[in-house]
Amino acid sequence: MNAKRIFRGPILWIVLAVIAIGLLVDLTGNLTGGYSEEPTSKVVSIINGNEPLKEVVLVDGEQEIQVTMGGDNPAKYKAVWVGNQSEQLIDRLNERVAAGSLESWVGKNPTPGFFQTLLGTLIPFIIIGVLFFFLLNSVQGGGSRVMQFGKSKAKVANKDTPKTTFRDVAGCEEAIEELEEIKEFLAEPAKFQAVGAKIPKGVLLYGPPGTGKTLLARAVAGEAGVPFYSISGSDFVEMFVGVGASRVRDLFEQAKENAPAIVFIDEIDAVGRHRGAGMGGGHDEREQTLNQLLVEMDGFDVRGGVILIAATNRPDVLDPALLRPGRFDRQIAVDAPDMNGRFQILRVHAEGKPMGPDVDLQSVARRTPGFTGADLANVLNEAALLTARKNERMITNVDLDEAIDRVIAGPQRRSRLMNEREKLITAYHEGGHALVAAALPGTDPVQKVTILPRGRALGYTMVLPEQDKYANTRAELLDQLAYMMGGRAAEELVFHDPTTGASNDIEKATSVARAMVTQYGMTERLGAIKLGSDGSEPFLGRDFGHQRDYSEDIAAVVDQEVSKLISNAHQEAFDILNENRDVLDALVNALFERETLDRAAVAEVFQPLRLRPRRPAWTGSDSRVPSSIPPVTPPPPALNGQNSQNGQSANGHRDNGQGQLPPAPGDHPAGGAALPPGHSPVPPTAPPATGPGSGPGQQGPGGSAGPQGPGVTDGPAGPPSEGWPPAGPDFR
C-alpha cells in the first residue's frame, strides 16, 4: 500500500485518536493520590502495630489497602491483601478505632465512572468501524474513492492514451464508413443540420468474438477529437442495490457536462439483457440499471450531444426497448472478413514483422477462410514466435503454414507415440475423408492430410474453399455428408471393424442432416417447412430454450429422414472408396512415407481417381419441373470504380475500388436456403472419444467440419449455349 496515501487518508488520524484515548484512560487509572507502593507485609505490620493512624481505606474488588499515617508522620502507603486476610484486617482496625490509635477506616467498592464506561463501550465500535473502513477502502481502490462506489468507473481517453485510428482497422469497411460519419457529424454538425439530419443517439456493434468491435471503438476514440468515456457493462453491476443505476446517471452527467462526447460500453449484454426473463423472473438490480440506461438514452431530458457506442456478441439477448430507433439508431454488423478483408488485416498486422521473400499474404488470406481479425493476428504472432524459437530473422512461408495449423488444430504433439496399427487406422481414416472429398464435385479442395497428432486429434484432413461463400446447395450438402462419413467407411472397408474415432464425424454429419430436414426443407417427404422454433430462451440455457412445435408423428418422420440421409451418405462413401481402393492404398503409403501431404502432393496421388458425376436436379416434387432456360449472364464488374455510382456496381454491390466485388454479408441466391453455421477456426468442442483408435475422425476445422464453413468448390462454368440444364447442382 502506498505510504503517502496512508498519511493523507483518515485512517491515520483514527488510529492516533484511539491511541490517545487509551493513553488518557491509562493515565487516569494511574493517579494514585500520593500513595507509595509498599510490600503487603510492611503495611500489615503498620496496621497491627500501635503507631497512630489517621485513616485506613480498604478497596474491595482491587483488594487494595491505603494507609495514611497520623501525628507528625504524613506518609501514605498502599498494598494489596491476599485471600481472606481482609477479615483479620477489619477486626484489627475495629480494635484500633476502639483504642483511639486510628481515627477512622473506610471500605470502598469502586464503580467505573461515566467517561470510563463510555470509552469502554465505544472503543470496540471504533475498532470495528476502522476495520470496515479499511476493507471498503481496499475494495474501492482507496484514496478519495472510498465513499464513491456510486460514481461512474468510466475511463476518459486523454493524450497519454495510445491512439488507434481507422488506419489500424481493416476488413470492416462498412462499419468504418458508418463510424467516420459520426466523427464528421461531431466535427461539422452544420453540414448535416442543413438538411435536417440529427445525430444518431446510439450505435450498436455486434458480431462474433474477435471481429474488431472494441478495436473500432478505440479507433473512434483516437479520431473523434471529443471526450471519450469507455466502460464495461460489468462495471455497472455491484453487490449494493442501486449502485448500477447511480453509475449510469453519473456517467451520463459527466458526458453531458462535456458534450459533445462519446460513451462506449463494452459487452453491453451484461446489463442490457431482456427484462423479466429467466427461470425465476427478472434480476431487479440489473433491470434497474437497464431502466436508468433507457431513460438516459431517450428519456424526458432532451439534452443531446452524447453518442452511445456499444459492443456485444449476443444481440439476441438484448432488451427490445434498448434496440429501438431513438436509442440505438444504428446497428452495425461486424462479421468475419472476406478474402480481401483478410488480406488487408494481414497487411496491418504484418507491419514491423520481417517477412521472407517467399511469403505471399494473399495466399495466406486464401488459406484462412472464416478467420476473424483476432485469429489472423494470432497467426502472424505464432509465426513470429516460431521464427524466434528457431533463431531466424525472417518469417517464412513454412512458419506461416505451421502457425495456421496451430491456430486451427493446436500445437503438434510430438510426445504422443502411436503403435503401427493405430497409425495405420489413422492413415486409412484420414485417407477416406480426403478421397471421398476429392471424388465428389460438391466438396472443397483437399489442402492437407496428416497423420501427425495435433491438439486432440491423432490426424486430420483439411479442406478449404478457394473463395468465400455464403450459401450451399442441396447437392453440395449431400456431397459433404458423404465426405464426413468417409473415415468411418474406410475403417469398415479395410479393417472390417469401425473404431470410436468417427464419433465426431457422426455428430457433425447428424447435425447437418437434421438441419437439412428441419431448417432448409431439403427432403421430399416433409417439404419446404421449418420445424422447431428459433424463439429460444437464452436465459434458460441452450437445451431448455428450444421448443418443438410439431407432433410426435412428425418427429418420427424427421428421425427417419435424418437416418436416411446419413445412411445414403455412408453407403455412397463406402462405394467411392471401394471403387478407388488402389488410390486409397497409394495415399496411405504416401502418408506413411511423408506423414503430411500438401495440396500438390495429394493431387499427384489422386491423378487416377475416378470422379463421381454431378448430382441430378432436385426440386422436391415431380410437379415442379426445372426450367430449361438458363440463368442470365451477369454484367461484368466495374473496374477501378468506372461505370459505377457512389461505389456501387451495376448489380448493387459495393465496389472496393480494386476491381473486386466481395459479396455483401447476408446475400443469398434467389430462393436460397438459410445460411448454414459459419466456418469456425477453432478445434471442435466435442469431447474426445475414448477407447482404442479414438483419434481418427476428430477433424480440425476444414476436416469433417467442412460443410459448415463458408467453403465452395469449383463452381459451375458459365451457362452453355446448349445442353442446359447440366446434370449438376440445382440452380433454382
Side-chain angles (χ1 to χ4, degrees):
M1 184 177 291
N2 191 353
K4 184 182 294 185
R5 191 178 69 184
I6 294 177
F7 286 115
R8 290 182 177 179
I11 295 180
L12 177 63
W13 301 106
I14 295 176
V15 172
L16 291 177
V18 172
I19 295 175
I21 293 173
L23 292 175
L24 179 62
V25 172
D26 185 69
L27 180 62
T28 54
N30 290 331
L31 295 178
T32 58
Y35 292 94
S36 61
E37 190 82 27
E38 297 293 340
T40 301
S41 57
K42 179 179 178 180
V43 175
V44 171
S45 63
I46 291 174
I47 294 176
N48 290 332
N50 295 320
E51 295 183 62
L53 301 176
K54 183 177 180 181
E55 183 183 31
V56 176
V57 178
L58 300 180
V59 182
D60 194 13
E62 297 180 4
Q63 295 185 260
E64 188 176 72
I65 309 170
Q66 298 177 356
V67 177
T68 303
M69 304 299 292
D72 297 333
N73 186 7
K76 294 182 177 182
Y77 308 106
K78 70 174 183 177
V80 294
W81 76 76
V82 182
N84 296 326
Q85 199 174 16
S86 59
E87 297 178 359
Q88 301 173 4
L89 293 175
I90 292 174
D91 293 340
R92 177 57 183 164
L93 292 174
N94 290 331
E95 292 175 1
R96 295 199 63 170
V97 170
S101 61
L102 174 61
E103 295 183 5
S104 64
W105 74 274
V106 179
K108 291 184 178 181
N109 188 8
T111 57
F114 173 76
F115 289 103
Q116 291 182 345
T117 304
L118 182 63
L119 290 176
T121 305
L122 290 180
I123 285 178
F125 288 100
I126 293 174
I127 295 175
I128 293 174
V130 170
L131 292 176
F132 179 78
F133 188 87
F134 178 78
L135 293 176
L136 190 61
N137 181 40
S138 300
V139 171
Q140 298 297 328
S144 59
R145 301 179 59 186
V146 177
M147 302 306 294
Q148 296 183 5
F149 51 81
K151 298 295 184 180
S152 169
K153 292 185 176 182
K155 303 177 182 65
V156 183
N158 52 40
K159 62 181 181 179
D160 298 327
T161 304
K163 280 200 172 185
T164 302
T165 64
F166 289 132
R167 297 178 182 176
D168 303 318
V169 185
C172 48
E173 284 73 17
E174 293 84 0
I176 294 175
E177 181 180 347
E178 297 290 338
L179 294 174
E180 278 187 334
E181 185 177 283
I182 292 178
K183 181 194 74 170
E184 188 178 357
F185 193 104
L186 294 172
E188 302 179 40
K191 171 183 174 181
F192 296 87
Q193 293 170 355
V195 293
K198 295 182 179 179
I199 187 171
K201 293 185 178 179
V203 177
L204 179 65
L205 305 175
Y206 67 92
T211 51
K213 299 181 293 295
T214 306
L215 181 65
L216 280 169
R218 290 206 300 265
V220 173
E223 297 268 3
V226 297
F228 187 92
Y229 299 85
S230 62
I231 191 171
S232 172
S234 60
D235 287 335
F236 294 110
V237 183
E238 272 286 358
M239 61 182 292
F240 304 109
V241 177
V243 172
S246 174
R247 288 179 176 173
V248 171
R249 286 191 297 269
D250 184 68
L251 172 62
F252 277 85
E253 284 175 4
Q254 294 180 37
K256 289 175 182 178
E257 290 176 357
N258 297 280
I262 296 176
V263 175
F264 173 65
I265 301 179
D266 199 7
E267 305 296 344
I268 195 174
D269 51 278
V271 69
R273 287 177 174 248
H274 199 298
R275 290 170 291 183
M279 291 287 288
H283 186 294
D284 290 338
E285 171 59 18
R286 187 175 61 231
E287 290 184 7
Q288 289 181 19
T289 307
L290 175 58
N291 291 337
Q292 187 62 45
L293 181 62
L294 296 176
V295 172
E296 295 292 345
M297 291 184 67
D298 187 22
F300 192 76
D301 189 358
V302 296
R303 289 184 299 167
V306 177
I307 300 176
L308 177 63
I309 301 177
T312 181
N313 49 30
R314 293 294 309 275
D316 56 311
V317 305
L318 296 181
D319 193 90
L322 191 64
L323 299 176
R324 72 163 177 83
R327 291 198 172 103
F328 281 117
D329 300 294
R330 292 186 179 178
Q331 300 179 23
I332 303 174
V334 186
D335 294 322
D338 56 14
M339 188 173 67
N340 184 57
R342 293 194 297 274
F343 174 65
Q344 299 297 334
I345 293 174
L346 288 170
R347 290 181 57 185
V348 170
H349 291 291
E351 293 182 2
K353 295 180 176 65
M355 295 291 173
D358 63 331
V359 172
D360 181 12
L361 295 181
Q362 190 73 46
S363 175
V364 176
R366 190 177 296 110
R367 290 154 52 195
T368 52
F371 277 40
T372 64
D375 297 322
L376 296 172
N378 195 21
V379 165
L380 290 179
N381 186 62
E382 287 287 346
L385 292 175
L386 292 171
T387 303
R389 185 182 302 173
K390 295 186 297 184
N391 296 320
E392 296 180 355
R393 295 183 177 274
M394 304 288 286
I395 298 175
T396 63
N397 203 33
V398 176
D399 299 325
L400 286 171
D401 187 66
E402 173 64 19
I404 294 173
D405 290 345
R406 291 171 71 93
V407 172
I408 290 178
Q412 184 176 333
R413 302 185 63 178
R414 297 182 177 87
S415 60
R416 175 176 286 183
L417 300 178
M418 295 186 293
N419 58 44
E420 290 300 318
R421 178 169 177 80
E422 286 187 343
K423 195 173 181 180
L424 185 62
I425 293 175
T426 302
Y428 270 102
H429 185 105
E430 303 305 332
H433 281 302
L435 192 148
V436 174
L440 291 171
T443 53
D444 299 324
V446 179
Q447 303 288 344
K448 178 182 291 187
V449 184
T450 181
I451 56 175
L452 293 176
R454 186 179 291 273
R456 291 173 295 176
L458 299 181
Y460 67 93
T461 301
M462 181 186 297
V463 296
L464 293 176
E466 295 182 337
Q467 59 183 359
D468 296 306
K469 187 178 180 181
Y470 301 96
N472 292 94
T473 65
R474 180 178 181 272
E476 290 171 345
L477 293 179
L478 291 177
D479 289 348
Q480 292 165 357
L481 281 177
Y483 151 67
M484 292 180 189
M485 302 304 297
R488 173 67 175 262
E491 294 177 3
E492 295 171 348
L493 176 66
V494 178
F495 300 100
H496 309 164
D497 191 17
T499 68
T500 58
S503 61
N504 188 248
D505 301 327
I506 296 173
E507 176 186 353
K508 293 180 178 179
T510 304
S511 176
V512 173
R514 187 167 295 276
M516 292 176 65
V517 175
T518 61
Q519 297 181 33
Y520 307 149
M522 292 182 176
T523 59
E524 296 179 3
R525 192 171 176 183
L526 292 174
I529 60 175
K530 174 72 167 61
L531 298 175
S533 174
D534 277 342
S536 59
E537 177 55 68
F539 308 100
L540 301 181
R542 296 182 179 180
D543 296 332
F544 290 97
H546 298 285
Q547 299 178 0
R548 196 180 72 180
D549 53 3
Y550 46 90
S551 65
E552 293 294 335
D553 294 337
I554 297 297
V557 174
V558 169
D559 292 339
Q560 293 172 9
E561 291 296 310
V562 171
S563 177
K564 180 180 177 181
L565 288 172
I566 297 296
S567 178
N568 291 341
H570 194 171
Q571 185 62 45
E572 185 176 15
F574 190 91
D575 294 340
I576 292 174
L577 294 174
N578 196 21
E579 295 172 4
N580 295 275
R581 176 62 190 271
D582 55 336
V583 180
L584 178 61
D585 292 338
L587 178 62
V588 170
N589 288 329
L591 284 174
F592 263 82
E593 179 182 351
R594 301 168 58 179
E595 292 186 328
T596 300
L597 301 178
D598 58 12
R599 181 174 181 176
V602 171
E604 182 179 354
V605 175
F606 284 166
Q607 283 183 358
L609 183 67
R610 290 167 282 278
L611 304 180
R612 282 296 178 102
R614 293 186 178 272
R615 298 180 186 274
W618 184 90
T619 62
S621 174
D622 294 337
S623 61
R624 293 189 292 272
V625 180
S627 171
S628 59
I629 304 175
V632 299
T633 302
L639 299 178
N640 299 325
Q642 298 177 0
N643 300 326
S644 62
Q645 297 178 356
N646 297 327
Q648 298 288 335
S649 66
N651 60 1
H653 285 182
R654 180 166 296 277
D655 187 359
N656 58 14
Q658 299 179 358
Q660 300 177 8
L661 291 174
D667 282 359
H668 305 288
L675 186 66
H679 177 80
S680 173
V682 298
T685 56
T690 58
S694 61
Q698 295 181 9
Q699 308 297 323
S704 59
Q708 298 181 359
V712 294
T713 57
D714 296 332
S721 57
E722 59 182 2
W724 184 266
D730 182 25
F731 294 95
R732 296 171 306 285

